[in-house]
Amino acid sequence: DTARAAIPQDQNSLGGKVLHIDLATGGPAPDNPFVDDPNPARRLLWTYGHRNVQGVAVQPDTGVVFSAEHGPDTDDEVNRLRPGANYGWDPSQGGTVGGYDESVPMTDLDRFPDAAAAAWSSGSPVEAISGAAFLSGPEWGDLDGALAVGALRGQKLLLMTIGPDGAVTDTRVPEPLDGTYGRLRAVRLAPDGALFVSTSNGDDDRILRITPV
């Protein structure tokens, strides 16, 4: 949201939003929720009311999109993205306060009763979640379809089971990836089904290749 308080709820700005763009044209994807809006910025919007989206992953088979997002000092979120939905971040409190008020809820359901609730929230302290990717393939066993999310501050990999309603029903942290390699940032599934995770420590960083045991 560029640390500007009114930006996440301002649909004329691209800050604090998830955009959906047609790679062939550079313009809005044809199924965008505001594709016919006269404002060219608003045509690109998929969702709004975000603070700091770090990772985006598409669920296999369903095509549903999930995001991993930094909270301030509480409530990192994983969100199930619904076209046109508001995710409730508003540090301006509707323009009623100056500055950048990080004490407001990440998803302010009092101010925005129709805002999309998080699929998962870290509570306090935050993990500073980052990249995200879905595991896919029978070799992953009961983790097939789980969402893998890296954590910078938490220095771990979180494996999240997603229920039919899009909420996270279970979270596991593999012991070999809990504090062993420092800050974990990018998370990507390789063509052979392995998981690639990058470290982000600023020194002697590496790309880890992870396979199921």
Side-chain angles (χ1 to χ4, degrees):
D1 65 2
T2 69
R4 290 182 291 171
I7 290 296
Q9 296 295 326
D10 181 1
Q11 293 184 27
N12 296 313
S13 166
L14 300 183
K17 315 298 188 300
V18 172
L19 311 181
H20 190 204
I21 294 171
D22 186 330
L23 293 180
T25 66
D31 59 344
N32 277 4
F34 312 116
V35 70
D36 296 321
D37 195 273
N39 187 312
R42 195 165 187 258
R43 293 175 208 154
L44 300 174
L45 304 189
W46 188 249
T47 57
Y48 65 102
H50 297 283
R51 181 179 183 272
N52 187 354
V53 173
Q54 293 277 315
V56 176
V58 180
Q59 189 175 40
D61 301 327
T62 69
V64 174
V65 181
F66 287 78
S67 67
E69 184 169 356
H70 282 187
D73 59 3
T74 187
D75 292 337
D76 289 340
E77 290 183 350
V78 168
N79 284 303
R80 181 184 187 275
L81 300 185
R82 304 197 317 262
N86 180 5
Y87 286 79
W89 174 245
D90 182 20
S92 77
Q93 295 190 41
T96 63
V97 299
Y100 187 78
D101 182 8
E102 291 189 315
S103 71
V104 300
M106 264 292 277
T107 303
D108 193 340
L109 294 173
D110 288 335
R111 184 173 294 280
F112 307 108
D114 295 330
W120 172 89
S121 179
S122 67
S124 182
V126 292
E127 299 280 4
I129 57 176
S130 192
F134 279 94
L135 303 179
S136 183
E139 66 271 25
W140 290 99
D142 65 350
L143 287 171
D144 184 13
L147 181 65
V149 181
L152 297 167
R153 180 176 176 179
Q155 300 187 6
K156 59 174 66 83
L157 186 73
L158 300 108
L159 302 179
M160 301 180 178
T161 301
I162 308 291
D165 62 353
V168 173
T169 59
D170 180 61
T171 302
R172 308 184 208 177
V173 177
E175 186 177 350
L177 294 165
D178 188 0
T180 307
Y181 298 99
R183 293 156 53 90
L184 302 183
R185 186 177 292 278
V187 181
R188 291 289 183 272
L189 196 69
D192 66 357
L195 190 70
F196 287 141
V197 177
S198 70
T199 68
S200 185
N201 300 309
D203 181 50
D204 192 29
D205 280 310
R206 62 188 74 182
I207 295 175
L208 310 173
R209 185 177 185 272
I210 301 161
T211 55
V213 176

